[in-house]
Amino acid sequence: MSTTLKPSKTPAAAGVGVPTVWLDGKWYDRETASVSVYDHGLLYGDGVFEGIRVYGGKIFKLSEHLDRLYDSAKAIWLTIPMPKDGLAAVTEEAVRRSGIAEAYIRHIITRGIGDLGLDPRKCAKPSIIIIVDTIRLFPEEVYETGLRVVTAGTPIPHREALSPRVKSLNYLAHILAKIEGIHSGADEVLMLDSDGHVAEGSGQNIFVVKNGAVRTPPAYAGILKGVTRDVVIELGREAGYDVQETMLNRYDVYTADEAFFTGTASELIAIRQVDGRTIGNGTSGPVTRDLRSRFQALARS
Ligand code: PMP
């Protein structure tokens, strides 16, 4: 009998710092930071975002995340009104001010304030928001026992509709998939693309291990090219694993020796069951554990 994981409440971890918000040049706290109801980020999901971790006070892979943020913005014809190095400096300052050593940073770029029509040209200036808080998606023990996953009926958006490479403020497809998972009592969902290929989780990339080979879908499969995914590919290759970026079917997941998700918020987390099929021996396998410990060592180096 499996238990359903409930979302954990994560105010800034007890006694360590306070959530801090930077919004268009001014500092706020969680209660006072607010945006206009005419912001197209709210009205239409017109904007992009990033999520970044801070380990022991050090920001993990800041430049990789900012590169993706600026590329996401470019893909939706949005110019972030600040150079990348300026945004990096304010991000560092926000982390310092928060005093949170184990933090989660959320960057949000909205199209800005416009009228009630869609036209982005009516939005005079995009808004930049940086939130520094904490995050925990799954309880610690699940990293050992693994997640129970079901395939969602909702596919990821077609890459020529809203490219999943764009980390946009429109996450409804992934939220709908997550809702399916919630109603089936699963911990997480596996999303397919519109052709039925394995794509990703609701907020994670997926890897499978079979006969020693570590496989994950390629970026052109129309997935979000995860920063954690790229780190794990590199760590895996350095460690001598045969890591392949290749299209996967559900068959490959069902018959894998091991499977795991990667993501900024969930890090590297084992999958123990998919659609009722037990993966491997039904707990975190040796390759998953090894890559997880290599990831943790790097994050804290
Ligand atoms: N896929 C989706 C849909 C996501 O939202 C995320 C989280 N950003 C990921 C994959 C993992 O990406 P990353 O490792 O960069 O957090």
Side-chain angles (χ1 to χ4, degrees), residues 49-51 65 68 164 167 171 174 200-205 223-229 262-265:
F49 76 103
E50 267 304 321
H65 282 282
R68 187 171 66 184
K167 201 162 166 56
Y171 250 56
H174 291 75
E200 57 191 357
S202 67
Q204 304 90 359
N205 293 113
I223 56 168
L224 184 80
K225 191 168 180 289
V227 171
T228 321
R229 165 194 183 277
T262 62
T264 295

